[in-house]
Amino acid sequence: MQELTHWIDGKHVKGGSGRFGDVYNPATGEVQARVPLASKDELAAAVRTAAAAQVKWGATNPQRRARVLMEFVRLLNRDMDKLAETLSREHGKTVPDAKGDIQRGLEVAEFCIGAPHLLKGEFTDAAGPGIDMYSMRQPLGVVAGITPFNFPAMIPMWKFAPAIACGNAFILKPSERDPSVPLMLAELMKEAGLPDGILQVVNGDKEAVDAILDDEIIQGIGFVGSTPIAEYIYGRGCANGKRVQCFGGAKNHMIVMPDADMDQAADALVGAGYGAAGERCMAVSVAVPVGEKTADKLVEKLVPRIEKLKVGPYTAGDDVDYGPVITAQAKEKILGLVESGIQQGAELKVDGRGFKLQGYEDGYFVGPHLFDQVTPQMDIYKQEIFGPVLCQVRTESYEEALKLAMDNEYGNGIAIFTRDGDTARDFSSRINVGMVGVNVPIPVPLAYHTFGGWKKSGFGDLNQHGPDAFKFYTRTKTVTARWPSGLKEGGEFHFKQMD
Ligand code: NAD
């Protein structure tokens, strides 16, 4: 059995805690590797090495730092197939989807090549007599990222690329479910020219996370994962005086207006609801048609599309729409919620419960499900299912649909399908959700914009990637300077207005 490692000081390092986690192949249910779970002391040692290396890296000019990312992008493209295969084997998503996962991270690394421009400060010439004032953005020092299983390439890169471009050292604690790709990314960063110690991958579970939260050297923490853990990390990290941003779970709605192109809406819902087995924080899990006729038409269009979905292992290539879910526990939770939906009175229009795949009986495959007549009181509406289950909530008017989404505790992504510009504009302006799609079901912003949800989907002030990341991973220092020619008036005992 393969034994994975940590990545410390530019090398693979064996785990020393004696504790390990199993890494599965979700398509077969087999344990394919074991990952070391770091102790508090192992984490602390990784942080100390990072802190020592960061001093020189922080003083390296931003253009040289950016060149490492430039080379990293080239290496990612070179190794795309290998990375995608490893990612699919541990996560279960299809190979094209795994490539998308890598690509969306790569694009953030590309954006970070612009670090010299993004890190430029502000300067006021002659703010007073002989006085110049300037502000600079300096790295925080050592920062950490704690990332989820569902995007094992993209989210680590969203975190470490800007942090490192800003001159920080980075401690990555990836998901213990699929840690191989993060380790491969660290190897590539070294090959791209990153000095040892600047990117440390510390594998682990709650013990390593708690050690990060309480570590005195770590200055900033970026987290992505479920909402209860996001709230915990935000609370404890902030209480310890750190800069923290946490991105949590989601329940993304798609409003379908009566004037929408129904074929387009149904195609969008199938891709956004069932792609990656629904294990995306931007997956659409609630369809909200406006008007009974729209709802009936939508179900009529959805059912045959859903029944045609091909579920299978990534090794089946293009012949598969989505793969297994991540663990046996995840499968059990999804099927438990499906049962609760039936008991609480929702109508199961497509029933994926009996799904079996010959030769893969031990894999964590879940057939697609479609519920109609779902109400906001049901558990399938209230909870994030994170599986291939789409719920339809019928509404009578645009205002009712808008209110439904606004009252939901999550606020990650949302979409509206309509041909009416006024409705789309009113919706985009009033909705209390961070990322909005107009006839676009999964409105994930590109690297040069920023990504972040509202309400219980995001905690902290700044978003991920784009210009916000450069603010998050730096702090401002402002210098007021006067040279001897201006120091002729003797001491000052009060704040003087600048002439
Ligand atoms: P998770 O919360 O279980 O785990 C995320 C990270 O937290 C992992 O690194 C894990 O090791 C750590 N962790 C887990 N339990 C912990 C505990 N008790 N104490 C300390 N650390 C702990 O999430 P997941 O299952 O890996 O990922 C799926 C979740 O992530 C979904 O809720 C999804 O919506 C969310 N997500 C959100 C975004 C976003 O940008 N908002 C993006 C992707 C995923």
Side-chain angles (χ1 to χ4, degrees), residues 453-473:
W454 290 13
K455 299 186 275 183
K456 292 228 166 186
S457 298
F459 304 86
D461 307 325
L462 293 165
N463 278 354
Q464 306 185 87
H465 64 67
D468 271 17
F470 280 75
K471 293 198 182 105
F472 183 76
Y473 289 115

Side-chain angles (χ1 to χ4, degrees), residues 87 123 183 205 345 375 377:
L87 198 157
F123 187 87
L183 288 164
D205 57 2
T375 67
Q377 294 72 36

Side-chain angles (χ1 to χ4, degrees), residues 146-151 155 158 173-176 204-206 209-210 223-227 229 232-233 247-250 280-281 384 386 412 451 457 464:
I146 301 158
T147 55
F149 81 83
N150 68 329
F151 283 98
I155 295 179
W158 282 10
K173 205 304 283 170
S175 170
E176 60 274 46
D205 57 2
K206 182 171 167 53
V209 172
D210 286 348
F223 168 87
V224 180
S226 59
T227 290
I229 311 297
Y232 165 69
I233 286 176
F247 300 92
R280 290 184 181 135
C281 68
E384 183 183 37
F386 226 53
N412 214 37
F451 182 111
S457 298
Q464 306 185 87

